[in-house]
Every structure is written in structure tokens, then in C-alpha cells.
Amino acid sequence: MATPQLELIDLLRALDPEAPLAERHLWLMRLLDWVRGDTDNPDVAVARVRMLLDAADVRPDWLKLWRAWWDEFLAGIDATPLLADLGFAPRGSFGGELAHRLRRKLIPATPDSTDLSELFGLLLPGEFDARWLRALDERTLTRLRVTLFYADPGEPRPDRPDYALRTLLDALAYAISQISAVGQSADVRLRMSEQARDKRAFLGLPTAFETLRQAVLAHGRQSAPALVALGQLREQLDACRAAAATVYTHLQEHGISVHIEFQLRQLRQRIIRVKALLLCLETDAPALATAQLLSHLVRVNRDSLSLRALLRSSTELLAARVTERNAETGEHYITRTPGDYLRMLGAAAGGGALLAFTTWIKLAIGALGLSAFWGGWWAGANYALSFVLIMLLGWTVATKQPAMTAPAMAAKLKDMSAPDAVENFVDEVVYLLRSQLVAIAGNVGLVMPVAFVLAIGLARLGWGQQAMDPIHAQMILVQHHLLGPTVLFAAATGGLLFLSSLIAGWTENAFVLHRLDSVIAYHPRITRWLGAERAGRWSRYWSQHISSWAGNISLGLLLGLVPPIVSFFGIPMEVRHVTLVSGQIGVAVHELGTGVLGQPLLWWALGGIAITGLTNLVSSFTLAFRLALAAQNVHGVDRWRVYAALGRRLLRRPHAFLLPVRVRPAGAMAAAAHAADDATDGAADRPG
């Protein structure tokens, strides 16, 4: 096995300045592979860099070849895109960047390229490269500059202008032009505050850079005029960033656009890149600054390939907007007083009664023998119509609530440092759980008897046999057996409940973003058709209820259409919605008669109802809760502390999780209030 020294000698002998472009780049890739070695220790890589310098010092003939090779390398590549544009979207849009990253994943880069940003990923592809570049000490970097990159530190070659300075200024000019263009685009400018527009920070940015460039070329990078101009350019960049930040206020009030959010992220990152390039321009240790910049670019290049990072970073604000709306809606589903509790029970009972009719219509659709898609379509339309009617009547469906209430719960976790914060959060959990349980009780408690009574009426009319027979009834009990696939199907159904809540939030955001309320209220054709007064009422109605309509309709269609679509790909899936399942079992009990009460199969199916309801709630709540935590930037929560508090509450007051009683004794609540007051007084006494 060859030693590192022998491998290095072979590499040095293979250097050929007259080789074709691709061969020269492949040689450099092999040299960097040798520097990395087969370890994960950056100190070993740094030691190999020193070994290369030692070998070069004793080989003047090789140094002559190397410098000829380096001249060819600099003449054949363009470093400006690497410094100014690596990691940024080619067309400044979310869709364009997504397509660009997909293309880079599917089509590898070639070493036969003059674009250093494309070649960079082949030369320094991984996180380890960032680590060993950052580990290079100033002495080693100075040796690199003197031995391999000509002359003494800070002295350019007489036959070539300062290539590094020229490239640095070109990169700065390119990056600043991009910042100015984005800041003056209509999408961004129209959403800035009036004060930010009046300052015209983006308009003056190129002028500030040109002043710096002229000062550097005329007097040098360390001269007083250059340093003054550099300080002014930094102030201009800070003003641009402050102006861009005002756009977020507009987005929060008037709806989120992923495209605009993506542009703003690119803008902030370009400003950060420009400041890093300015550091290389003004520093007394340019070699060290360059190594740190290259280390940063390695990580940027790696992150620029990640589809997950792009989707996460570009949709955080939209997710926050969606969950913020759901948090506002979810508050209405949490009961805190006995009156709220009884109203929830009544609303859930009304929803259960109506869903008994939905169950029979679903059975009738199944009896028609339609194809899988059209059967799913009409079943989804049936569900959607039922959910909309329940909404219009002021009733409720229990399993829709968790995806709405989860963001409201996540909002409570934003400040867990406050006195008694954990106990207050546990109070909210108790309120939430008993609200969900009473809603399920109301739904299930009425859907089964109403479905049973409807079965009696339809049987007397002679219409029930077409939709239900004993074999079908027996099959329903088997399908909903507690030990069958009920849990998996119920969890998948919970995912659909969560997805419908996202659709509801996204729809409302789009409604606000495109100002459809204003369109309805003021567009001439609409006002001519509806009249000005009615158009105003419609505008206000849809502003308040668009998310409810979108959530109910989307949930119905998802429940109907997703199972046949998924089954088309050979993946078994059925809807397991606790209220609809209960209705079907009520119909099956009527069809099988009183003798079924003695069959264990019925009781296993009733157990399936319980596990279905629990799984629906847990899966949809968990998905929504995790999204809300990420969207609202809630981190560092001591989960075990929360779990312990929940356990203590369950042991001490288990009935509070079921019945509308006070969640904590009055004394405990008063003590909590006093503790909060003391903390507030203490904060007021502290300076600042």
C-alpha cells in the first residue's frame, strides 16, 4: 500500500500545464482527494497541505510547472459566479430554484467547465472540506500564498494585475446589482412601508459601491478614502435590509406569497454574502479571510442541493400564516366553562344526527356499483355537503377539531419561563381533552340511534335492503374489528383531517393575498350583478368564512377520493372516521337483529369505534401540533416536565379530564395568580 508521501510524488509528476481543460481539472480533483485522505480529522488534512508545501519548496522545477498550470487555470475559469452567485436561484423564483436543484441532482456536473461555481462542487464536495479549510492556520495560509500563489504577501505579479482584487470587485458589483434589482422590483417595492420607499436605499446602493471601487483602485484597499467608502456601503446595505424587513409586516396583514418570501430570503442572503466579500477586501489577513469564505461556500453549495431545505425555508412563513389562522379558529373548539361544555355537547349531537343521514346516503352510493373513482367522487360530495350543512347549522364534527386546536395549544408554549406556565399549559390540555371527548360523545351518542331509527323507517318503506343486507352488515362488523387494520386506517384518516386544515388556512391566505374581498365589494361587474350593498355583505361573509368552507369541502372530497386513488397503486386504504363508522355499525345492528348483541364480534367492533376516535384525534393533533411548533419557532420545551405535570393532574383530578369542573382547586389558581403578579412586579422594578 502506497504511503501518502509516495502518492504525493506520483501526483506531482502527473502535473501537465498543457493538458486539456478537463484533464487539468481532474488532476486538481485528485490532489484535493489526496489532501482529504481517508480520515475524518481536519488536522490530518492540514498536515497534508504542509507536506505538499514542503515538497514544493525542494522542487523548483515543479514550481515552475505549477505556476504555468496556475496561469492556465486562472485564464480558463471565471470565479465571479462562485463568489457572488453560488447558492442563489438563477431566476430568483421558488419554482425556478426547485427545477434547478432537481436538474443538479439528476445531471452531475462536468469537470470540463470554465464556470468555477460548477467546478467547485467537484473540487470541494463535502462538509469535511469546510472543516479542514477552516482549520488552516495563518502561517500555513501565508506559506500557501508565498509558495504556490506567487511573490510575497500582498504583492501582485508584475505581469498580471491583482487577479484576486479584480475578481473580488467584479463579484461585489454583480451581487450588489442583484440586490438592487430585487429591492426595486414591483413585488417587493409595493409592499415596503412608505418610509422605507422614501429612503430609496436600493436605488443608491450601486452608487455607494462605485464610490468604493474608485477609491480602492485609485488609493488602495487600506487607504482612508476606501475605508470611508466601505463604511458608507455597509450603512447602505443595512438600510436595504431594514427596508426589506418592512415587507414582512405587509405579508402578515395581507397574506403570504411563497414567491415573495423566497425573494426576500435570497435578498437577505445576498446582503450577507456582500458583507463577507467586503471583509476579504478590507482585512489585513486576506488569505485567512479567503479560507473562511471558501469554507462557508462549501456549506452553501451543499445546502443548495437540498430540496428539503428549500421547501422548509421557503414555506415557514406560509405555515405560520396557516397555523395562525387555525389557532384563531381552534380557540372556538376549546370549552372552558360548563356552559361551553354543554353547548359543545349539543352541537356535537346535532352533527351526529345529520351524519346518520350521511351514512345512509353513503351506503346507497355503494349499492349503485359505480367504478372506484366515481364511487369515491359521489361519496366525497356526500361528505362535503354534510360537513357544510353542519357548519351552516352551527353544529360540529369532533374529529375536525384537533387539527384546528393544535396551533392554539402550540401558541401557549411560546413562553414557558413564566411562573406557573407548565400548570397553565396543563389546564389548556385538560380543557382540550374534555372538549374533544364530549364532542365525540355527542357525535357517536346520536349518530348510532338516529341511523338505527332511519334503518327501521327505510325497512318499513322497503328501501333498506338495496343498501344493506345481512352479509354486508356482518362484513361491516368484521372490517371494524378492534384487532384488525382499524388503527392504521384511522391514523391515515387523521392525516386527511390535518391536510384539510392546511387547505383551509392556505385558501384563506390566498383570499387575503389576492384581495378577493375587495374584488367582491368593488369590482364594477360584480356590483352591477349583486348591487353595491349585497356585494359588501358577500365580501364580509367570505372574509370571515372562506376557510370554513374550504376546510369542510376539502375534507369531504379527501375522505371520498383519496382511498380509491391510493388503492389504484395497490396500497389498501379505507376511511375510518369515528362518527361515520359508528353510523354504519348502528345500521348493521338493525340488520342483524337483537341476536347480534350476544356475538363477540359486535363488542369487538364497538371497541374499534373507541380506538378509531382516539387514533383520529391523536394523529391529526400530532401532525398539526408539530407543524405549529415549527411555524411559531417554539423550541427548547422541557417535555418531561410537561409530561410529569400531566401525570400529577391525572392522578389527583382524573374527573377534570371528562367533566366540566374546575381544572384546579381555587387555592392553587390563586397562588398561581399571586406568583404571576409577583413576577410582573419584579420585572417592572428591574431597569430596562
Side-chain angles (χ1 to χ4, degrees):
M1 182 176 180
T3 63
Q5 290 82 357
L6 293 176
E7 292 175 352
L8 177 59
I9 291 172
D10 290 339
L11 278 169
L12 297 182
R13 288 172 178 169
L15 179 66
D16 183 5
E18 298 180 359
L21 179 72
E23 292 296 328
R24 296 201 308 271
H25 293 168
L26 286 170
W27 179 87
L28 184 57
M29 290 168 59
R30 289 194 296 271
L31 179 64
L32 289 170
D33 282 339
W34 174 83
V35 170
R36 282 186 287 270
D38 55 2
T39 70
D40 194 33
N41 187 347
D43 292 334
V44 173
V46 173
R48 291 197 173 198
V49 171
R50 297 188 187 116
M51 189 187 302
L52 169 64
L53 294 173
D54 292 339
D57 283 337
V58 297
R59 288 174 172 80
D61 293 340
W62 181 85
L63 273 177
K64 184 177 180 180
L65 286 175
W66 159 259
R67 287 173 177 171
W69 187 98
W70 184 245
D71 280 342
E72 290 293 330
F73 180 77
L74 294 183
I77 58 98
D78 183 6
T80 298
L82 170 68
L83 298 178
D85 214 32
L86 183 68
F88 298 109
R91 286 173 293 279
S93 69
F94 173 78
E97 177 66 0
L98 183 62
H100 177 66
R101 295 192 184 197
L102 283 171
R103 185 169 61 253
R104 289 179 64 190
K105 281 184 174 292
L106 295 174
I107 305 175
T110 173
D112 189 15
S113 174
T114 60
D115 184 352
L116 189 55
S117 62
E118 182 178 357
L119 190 62
F120 190 74
L122 297 174
L123 297 174
L124 301 167
E127 169 65 22
F128 180 65
D129 294 295
R131 291 167 57 200
W132 73 258
L133 282 169
R134 192 166 288 275
L136 289 169
D137 58 279
E138 189 169 358
R139 181 172 179 273
T140 303
L141 288 167
T142 302
R143 285 190 64 197
L144 267 172
R145 191 173 186 189
V146 172
T147 303
L148 298 184
F149 305 127
Y150 313 130
D152 295 326
E155 295 182 12
R157 286 189 60 183
D159 59 338
R160 180 184 293 275
D162 192 339
Y163 176 87
L165 178 61
R166 178 164 53 86
T167 302
L168 194 56
L169 291 174
D170 288 347
L172 282 166
Y174 179 88
I176 283 173
S177 68
Q178 293 292 313
I179 294 170
S180 180
V182 173
Q184 295 183 78
S185 65
D187 285 341
V188 174
R189 178 177 169 79
L190 290 175
R191 290 170 172 82
M192 286 182 192
S193 68
E194 184 177 353
Q195 183 180 7
R197 285 198 300 269
D198 291 342
K199 288 183 178 180
R200 300 183 178 182
F202 291 98
L203 190 62
L205 190 60
T207 303
F209 168 70
E210 183 60 23
T211 302
L212 172 64
R213 192 181 74 85
Q214 295 291 348
V216 169
L217 293 177
H219 306 287
R221 64 173 72 189
Q222 295 292 325
S223 64
L227 294 177
V228 170
L230 191 144
Q232 292 173 345
L233 179 59
R234 287 184 184 277
E235 292 178 1
Q236 195 77 15
L237 288 168
D238 291 338
C240 290
R241 189 165 184 174
T246 64
V247 177
Y248 285 103
T249 303
H250 185 281
L251 293 178
Q252 293 286 3
E253 294 177 358
H254 301 286
I256 303 302
S257 166
V258 172
H259 170 68
I260 296 174
E261 158 64 4
F262 180 75
Q263 284 191 312
L264 291 174
R265 284 181 179 273
Q266 295 272 294
L267 181 65
R268 293 199 310 272
Q269 290 164 3
R270 284 192 187 276
I271 290 174
I272 293 171
R273 179 69 58 82
V274 166
K275 288 187 174 182
L277 295 176
L278 291 176
L279 181 63
C280 294
L281 184 67
E282 68 173 331
T283 182
D284 293 329
L288 184 61
T290 301
Q292 302 297 312
L293 177 62
L294 290 176
S295 174
H296 169 70
L297 291 177
V298 170
R299 292 192 170 98
V300 167
N301 185 63
R302 184 197 59 188
D303 293 341
S304 70
L305 291 173
S306 173
L307 297 176
R308 181 181 299 178
L310 174 67
L311 293 171
R312 182 180 62 249
S313 64
S314 298
T315 55
E316 281 178 353
L317 196 59
L318 179 59
R321 178 68 179 179
V322 169
T323 54
E324 176 187 336
R325 169 59 189 171
N326 286 346
E328 295 169 1
T329 306
E331 285 288 348
H332 300 299
Y333 289 122
I334 300 177
T335 65
R336 293 182 171 83
T337 66
D340 293 339
Y341 185 90
L342 293 176
R343 280 190 290 273
M344 176 65 75
L345 180 62
L354 197 150
L355 287 175
F357 290 87
T358 305
T359 301
W360 268 105
I361 296 173
K362 169 62 172 65
L363 294 172
I365 292 171
L368 295 176
L370 300 173
S371 66
F373 176 80
W374 288 111
W377 167 261
W378 288 111
N382 172 41
Y383 295 147
L385 178 61
S386 300
F387 294 149
V388 168
L389 285 175
I390 289 171
M391 173 194 71
L392 294 176
L393 293 171
W395 296 338
T396 190
V397 179
T399 50
K400 283 181 60 219
Q401 299 171 4
M404 296 292 188
T405 52
M409 297 298 294
K412 308 293 184 185
L413 290 174
K414 281 190 173 181
D415 184 14
M416 293 301 285
S417 61
D420 215 35
V422 172
E423 290 299 325
N424 290 334
F425 179 73
V426 171
D427 291 347
E428 293 298 315
V429 172
V430 173
Y431 288 135
L432 171 65
L433 288 177
R434 73 188 188 193
S435 301
Q436 304 305 310
L437 292 174
V438 73
I440 291 179
N443 278 172
V444 175
L446 219 60
V447 70
M448 293 185 74
V450 173
F452 190 89
V453 170
L454 285 174
I456 295 174
L458 292 172
R460 290 183 177 178
L461 294 173
W463 295 348
Q465 287 296 322
Q466 288 79 12
M468 179 69 69
D469 55 39
I471 296 176
H472 190 188
Q474 195 78 12
M475 187 181 301
I476 286 176
L477 297 184
V478 172
Q479 288 175 338
H480 299 97
H481 196 287
L482 174 62
L483 302 181
T486 294
V487 173
L488 296 177
F489 292 151
T493 303
L496 298 181
L497 295 163
F498 163 69
L499 183 57
S500 72
S501 74
L502 290 187
I503 293 173
W506 179 87
T507 303
E508 191 205 25
N509 179 74
F511 187 91
V512 174
L513 177 66
H514 298 293
R515 304 187 65 192
L516 295 183
D517 56 338
S518 180
V519 172
I520 295 171
Y522 300 114
H523 194 279
R525 279 184 295 179
I526 296 177
T527 53
R528 280 198 303 268
W529 180 42
L530 295 176
E533 184 178 350
R534 184 180 298 173
R537 290 200 305 269
W538 276 53
S539 172
R540 291 188 294 273
Y541 176 83
W542 287 112
S543 296
Q544 297 169 6
H545 298 96
I546 185 66
S547 65
S548 299
W549 279 83
N552 284 296
I553 293 173
S554 64
L555 176 59
L557 294 177
L558 287 171
L559 293 177
L561 286 172
V562 169
I565 292 174
V566 171
S567 299
F568 175 80
F569 295 98
I571 303 173
M573 181 180 175
E574 298 176 14
V575 169
R576 288 291 189 270
H577 187 283
V578 61
T579 311
L580 299 174
V581 166
S582 302
Q584 292 181 44
I585 291 177
V587 175
V589 168
H590 169 268
E591 186 63 31
L592 294 173
T594 56
V596 75
L597 297 176
Q599 294 183 17
L601 188 60
L602 172 63
W603 302 103
W604 281 111
L606 293 176
I609 292 177
I611 198 65
T612 296
L614 179 63
T615 308
N616 285 163
L617 295 177
V618 170
S619 61
S620 61
F621 182 85
T622 300
L623 291 169
F625 191 68
R626 289 175 65 88
L627 177 67
L629 288 177
Q632 299 185 30
N633 293 317
V634 178
H635 303 289
V637 176
D638 188 347
R639 297 184 181 183
W640 291 109
R641 186 178 165 206
V642 174
Y643 296 155
L646 276 170
R648 288 193 301 270
R649 186 69 62 84
L650 185 60
L651 289 175
R652 294 173 183 172
R653 300 177 60 80
H655 58 288
F657 287 80
L658 300 173
L659 302 174
V661 297
R662 189 186 296 274
V663 295
R664 275 192 283 173
M669 297 183 70
H674 288 309
D677 291 340
D678 291 343
T680 303
D681 294 340
D685 292 338
R686 290 192 294 270

